């Protein structure tokens, strides 16, 4: 029997004087530890059962019990064409859609990064906010005095501590290649640390332009003049990936020309990885974290069909290796439709948003088993929603902004 239904029935029988409610006999500490292991979506339903369950959600000791759960199935905050009203999430454990508390739309903020149970937003004026989508609590971060309107912001990344849900860091990478720098906001100190300059590492075997990025124009297959500079969805404009490799903190982001920039924040260096495809190829590309590793997802066309492949970079031999691919029967559907892909990873799962003027769909991939499933359609007021991108987070009541 469904636990929510069972609890409701027991409550009804108690009201009729036929049975006692068994959880009433549990010590508060034990009750909180039991409820901390209930899936978040079920717990939210249970809060309406009785006052005791409802009061648990604000208990500090309950938050401690929740923080001892190593991981939770992710929810994905979805971004549609109305960038400033992201309030729909896909619950990967229940495989359905839910609503969360949207950010105050008066400041026109859009999600730009996420980690743990938190999401980072950026306003049109450049302010940064961190929010817990489950509780709706948010805070504005102090202004970054060093970052002026003339500075090019390349990446916004976020990292939260599993040991301490209230501790997180926000990393900004800015400047003009090859003159890059980064700053870090430390929530424990409530301040931005000193700016750090990144020193460029070069590789004689690489084909990257060491003098910076130059825009290249070429003819597409349809005869259009195309610029090599990449156009990204506003919600993915600052998308980046933070990983820990050999004890060192690494940040990856896409340059305007589509190359992957690897920043070693520990050693304070950066390096442009070799191109996957020539600059004159038309393709859509994204960088994700999956299983603790950085992967690049590329959708390209060749020989009258489309292919979507996952690539991993080997620093040992400075080469890219394919680790997975979408079945040809699925990727061929995107051929000649000029689609844009935006991807996010969480654990071994990847969520892929595909968009063009001709099609729109969202798919989930179990990368370990290369199993692809199209996500259920989402309807609001009878209209189907089209999503441009997504940001994964763990539904955690205890995550403090």
């Amino acid at each position: 029997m469904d636990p929510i239904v069972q609890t409701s029935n027991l409550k009804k029988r108690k009201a009729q004087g036929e049975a006692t409610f068994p959880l009433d006999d549990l010590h508060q500490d034990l009750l909180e530890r039991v409820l901390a292991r209930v899936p978040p979506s079920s717990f939210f339903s249970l809060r309406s059962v009785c006052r005791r369950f409802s009061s648990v959600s604000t208990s500090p000791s309950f938050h401690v019990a929740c923080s001892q759960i190593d991981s939770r199935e992710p929810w994905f905050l979805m971004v549609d064409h109305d960038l400033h009203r992201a309030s729909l999430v896909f619950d990967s454990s229940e495989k359905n859609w839910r609503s969360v508390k949207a950010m105050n739309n008066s400041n026109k903020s859009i999600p730009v990064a996420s980690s743990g149970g938190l999401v980072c937003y950026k306003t049109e004026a450049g302010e940064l906010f961190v929010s817990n989508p489950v509780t709706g609590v948010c805070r504005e971060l102090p202004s970054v005095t060093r970052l002026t309107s003339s500075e090019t912001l390349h990446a916004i990344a976020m990292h939260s501590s599993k040991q301490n849900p209230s501790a997180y860091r926000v990393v900004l990478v800015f400047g003009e290649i090859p003159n890059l720098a980064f700053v870090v906001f430390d929530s424990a100190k409530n301040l931005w640390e000193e700016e750090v300059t990144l020193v460029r590492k070069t590789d004689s075997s690489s084909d990257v332009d060491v003098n910076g990025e130059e825009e290249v124009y070429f003819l597409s297959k349809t005869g259009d003049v195309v610029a090599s500079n990449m156009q990204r969805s506003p919600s993915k404009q600052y998308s980046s990936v933070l990983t820990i490799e050999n004890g060192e903190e690494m940040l990856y982001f896409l340059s305007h020309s589509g190359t992957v920039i690897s920043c070693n924040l520990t050693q304070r260096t950066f390096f442009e990885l070799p191109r996957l495809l020539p600059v004159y190829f038309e393709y859509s590309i994204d960088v994700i974290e999956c299983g603790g590793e950085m992967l690049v997802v590329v959708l390209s066309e060749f020989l009258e069909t489309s292919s979507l492949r996952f690539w991993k970079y080997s620093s040992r031999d400075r080469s890219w290796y394919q680790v997975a691919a979408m079945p040809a029967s699925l990727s061929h559907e995107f051929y000649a439709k000029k689609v844009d892909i935006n991807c996010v990873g969480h654990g071994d799962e990847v969520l892929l948003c595909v968009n063009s003027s001709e099609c729109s769909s969202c798919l989930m991939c179990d990368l370990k088993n290369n199993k692809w499933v199209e996500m259920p359609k989402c309807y609001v007021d009878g209209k189907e929603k089209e999503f441009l991108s997504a940001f994964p987070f763990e539904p955690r009541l205890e995550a403090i902004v």
Side-chain angles (χ1 to χ4, degrees):
M1 182 181 293
D2 183 88
I4 300 177
V5 176
Q6 183 181 19
T7 302
S8 300
N9 288 341
L10 286 171
K11 182 183 177 184
K12 183 177 180 181
R13 287 198 298 269
K14 179 185 176 182
Q16 297 172 346
E18 297 177 1
T20 58
F21 196 73
L23 291 181
D24 280 346
D25 298 330
L26 286 180
H27 187 274
Q28 184 71 12
D29 178 65
L30 180 57
L31 175 65
E32 291 176 352
R33 283 187 285 170
V34 170
L35 293 179
R37 285 159 174 76
V38 172
S41 55
S42 298
F43 173 73
F44 298 144
S45 299
L46 284 171
R47 286 193 301 181
S48 62
V49 171
C50 65
R51 290 182 179 179
R52 189 182 183 195
F53 283 9
S54 181
S55 64
V56 165
S57 62
T58 58
S59 167
S61 56
F62 173 67
H63 290 177
V64 172
C66 288
S67 67
Q68 294 172 351
I69 307 300
D70 289 337
S71 64
R72 296 190 185 274
E73 292 294 318
W75 288 5
F76 293 88
L77 180 67
M78 307 300 294
V79 180
D80 61 15
H81 293 279
D82 189 355
L83 301 174
H84 309 298
R85 293 186 180 275
S87 61
L88 291 172
V89 299
F90 181 73
D91 182 345
S92 64
S93 63
E94 301 284 340
K95 308 300 181 188
N96 59 13
W97 298 97
R98 300 187 180 278
S99 295
V100 293
K101 299 177 182 179
M103 283 283 291
N104 186 347
N105 194 39
S106 62
N107 54 26
K108 293 188 179 298
S109 59
I110 61 174
V112 290
S114 63
S115 180
L118 303 174
V119 177
C120 181
Y121 294 77
K122 181 178 180 294
T123 69
E124 290 184 344
E127 296 101 344
L128 295 174
F129 289 80
V130 172
S131 171
N132 182 331
V134 174
T135 63
V137 177
C138 71
R139 67 172 291 193
E140 182 179 0
L141 302 188
S143 298
V144 189
T145 55
R146 172 64 182 85
L147 192 60
T148 64
S149 58
S150 60
E151 295 276 9
T152 300
L153 181 59
H154 292 281
I156 301 176
M158 194 173 183
H159 179 266
S160 58
S161 170
K162 288 188 176 181
Q163 290 72 31
N164 183 2
S166 62
Y168 59 88
R169 299 165 70 242
V170 178
V171 183
L172 309 183
V173 178
F174 57 93
E176 298 294 340
I177 296 175
N179 302 310
L180 294 180
F182 73 92
V183 291
V184 177
F185 174 79
D186 187 335
S187 67
K189 302 175 183 177
N190 192 33
L191 55 76
W192 290 95
E193 298 176 351
E194 291 294 322
E195 173 189 332
V196 177
T197 300
L198 290 168
V199 178
R200 184 174 199 158
K201 292 176 64 178
T202 58
D203 177 13
S204 59
S205 65
S206 174
D207 59 357
V208 297
D209 176 16
V210 296
N211 297 315
E213 296 186 288
E214 293 185 1
E215 195 166 23
V216 177
Y217 295 89
F218 60 93
L219 284 176
S220 69
K221 292 186 294 184
T222 59
D224 300 322
V225 177
V226 180
S228 62
N229 271 10
M230 184 176 56
Q231 302 298 318
R232 303 212 71 189
S233 167
S235 65
K236 296 285 284 185
Q237 186 176 354
Y238 310 109
S239 178
S240 56
V241 168
L242 268 177
T243 64
I244 303 297
E245 300 175 16
N246 300 319
E248 297 179 335
E249 192 172 31
M250 305 292 296
L251 184 148
Y252 299 90
F253 68 91
L254 290 172
S255 71
H256 294 306
S257 64
T259 58
V260 179
I261 308 296
S262 169
C263 303
N264 188 319
L265 303 184
T266 304
Q267 295 188 7
R268 303 181 177 186
T269 61
F270 79 95
F271 173 62
E272 289 181 84
L273 305 186
R275 286 185 177 275
L276 272 160
L277 293 173
V279 67
Y280 51 81
F281 265 49
E282 289 183 87
Y283 59 91
S284 183
I285 184 172
D286 207 351
V287 58
I288 64 171
E289 181 271 330
C290 203
E293 296 181 321
M294 183 278 294
L295 299 178
V296 171
V297 188
V298 178
L299 175 66
S300 60
E301 296 184 358
F302 186 67
L303 295 178
E304 307 302 319
T305 191
S306 293
S307 68
L308 187 141
R309 304 173 188 272
F310 294 81
W311 300 86
K312 178 181 176 181
Y313 182 73
S314 171
S315 57
R316 179 176 300 178
D317 53 13
R318 301 185 178 93
S319 299
W320 292 97
Y321 291 93
Q322 179 180 314
V323 294
M326 176 184 282
S329 59
L330 291 177
S331 61
H332 182 69
E333 296 295 321
F334 308 139
Y335 177 69
K337 294 181 179 178
K338 296 185 177 181
V339 302
D340 178 46
I341 60 168
N342 289 305
C343 315
V344 290
H346 190 282
D348 291 324
E349 288 188 307
V350 177
L351 189 152
L352 173 71
C353 295
V354 180
N355 285 277
S356 78
S357 59
E358 300 180 43
C359 68
S360 175
S361 63
C362 296
L363 301 99
M364 293 288 294
C365 174
D366 176 354
L367 199 60
K368 189 174 183 180
N369 300 304
N370 199 28
K371 181 180 179 182
W372 292 82
V373 178
E374 186 171 5
M375 292 169 55
K377 301 295 184 183
C378 178
Y379 295 90
V380 176
D381 297 329
K383 296 182 179 179
E384 182 182 337
K385 302 290 288 185
E386 295 183 356
F387 297 110
L388 304 178
S389 58
F391 292 86
F393 68 95
E394 295 184 13
R396 289 187 172 274
L397 285 166
E398 75 276 14
I400 302 174
V401 299

